[in-house]
Amino acid sequence: MTFEITDERQTFCWLRMRLEPKYRVVAEPDASYYSEHKFCYRVYDGEKLLREFRGDFRTLVPQTLLSAARALVGQLESQGAIAAKNSEAKAVDATNSPTEKRLIASRLVPLRQQQTYFSSGRAAFTWLIRDAVRPKRVWLPTFVCWSLIEAMQQRFPQTPLMFYSVDRKLQSQWPNGTEPGDALVYLHYFGHRSEEPDVSSECILLEDVSHQLIPRVNVAGSWRFGSLRKTFRIADGGVVQGLHSPVYEPEDGLSTWLRGCSRDWRDLREAENMMDRGWRVSDMSSQSLAQMLASDPSRMAEQRCSNQRFLQAHLMVGEPLVRFREDEVPLLHNILMPDTESRNSLRSFLASRGIFCSIHWPLHPVLRNSVSADSEDAAWLESHVLSIPVADDFDLSDMTRIVEATREWSEAGR
């Protein structure tokens, strides 16, 4: 993906994005101080110089460089399709480029990690669909957060959105109608590790690790993405596994600002609403990144597991939705209540005691109105599930409060 060039000072980056890797675009800047306005850009086909753009931005006649660059790109595109490689392949090419000797200089290419950060999970997902995968169709589970469906509706209304069923035990019924070029998203619900999809080998797998505090080893051939706000106490953040070079969209960051200075749940809810109204494929904030990198996932995992085990042993209402394995880290403790009325009653009672629980997930209208998707079990889960916090911010005394409040509710006759 490239950007729409609006300023001639963007020319070099624009040429590199449009022409590489089939062609090579090289800058030959003047290395002396106070020469930042001078430019020299060369375009090569192998070792053959195709075009040189040279000048000084201070004396440049407006639109001349931009027009010349666009003309060159148009000419090369008319001669044959420019080779398409995704940004991951470009990054691999760059990191594997041979070097005879280590450079000694004050300015070196920055070190990078094998993660690329975004402002949210839906931004990471959107970048994958738009710039890396470009699928023919996208498959989502029927039991899924609204954000992925909304991202598809807002950004890719022309891309067919398909669904495969998830049952009441969170077992996926993998579709048998996938085709080459399809992308299938699968989740690890609430930290419980899912099986790898059993679908056509030519189907592109997108692994959503939003609920995994410590993801397992990456599955070969799978793209991995997720929301970091689900597992870390940060204002924003999403991630795509791998070293990529996205062009971020501009964003005012106000929803992140509001989360950071929230007074209570109302501010937090308004911040969520602000992001839902309008979000961008933008970068993660430095504050959130710094907080996440300063966290200790091993300690967090230990506390979450301890909290979840306590609730599973002492909670006398409902049935656990998930039986976590020893090596899994729970995101939430989900219980299934016998009916919607008792679930809602318990939820209200806990809220009156300062314990706020959520519902994962209300069925999206697209699924509720669909005649082709079997979302019966997803709708049943919506009506019976209650999600209780077990985050590492809480300890045994907090879990005891939850247990005692549920006992009080039960003894009061609901």
Side-chain angles (χ1 to χ4, degrees), residues 4 22 26 28 33 47 54 92 170 174 176 180 204 221 228 233 237 277 291 316 361 397 405:
E4 182 60 34
K22 182 172 183 179
V26 178
E28 297 289 352
Y33 284 103
E47 297 302 319
R54 180 188 292 272
V92 170
L170 304 184
W174 306 120
N176 55 20
I204 306 162
L228 297 170
R233 190 178 174 184
R277 293 180 202 125
Q291 183 62 48
M316 305 306 293
W361 286 284
S397 64

Side-chain angles (χ1 to χ4, degrees), residues 118-128 151 240 279-282:
F118 293 84
S119 55
S120 65
R122 73 188 75 183
F125 172 71
T126 298
W127 179 85
L128 269 179
V240 171
W279 51 276
R280 300 289 183 267
V281 182
S282 55

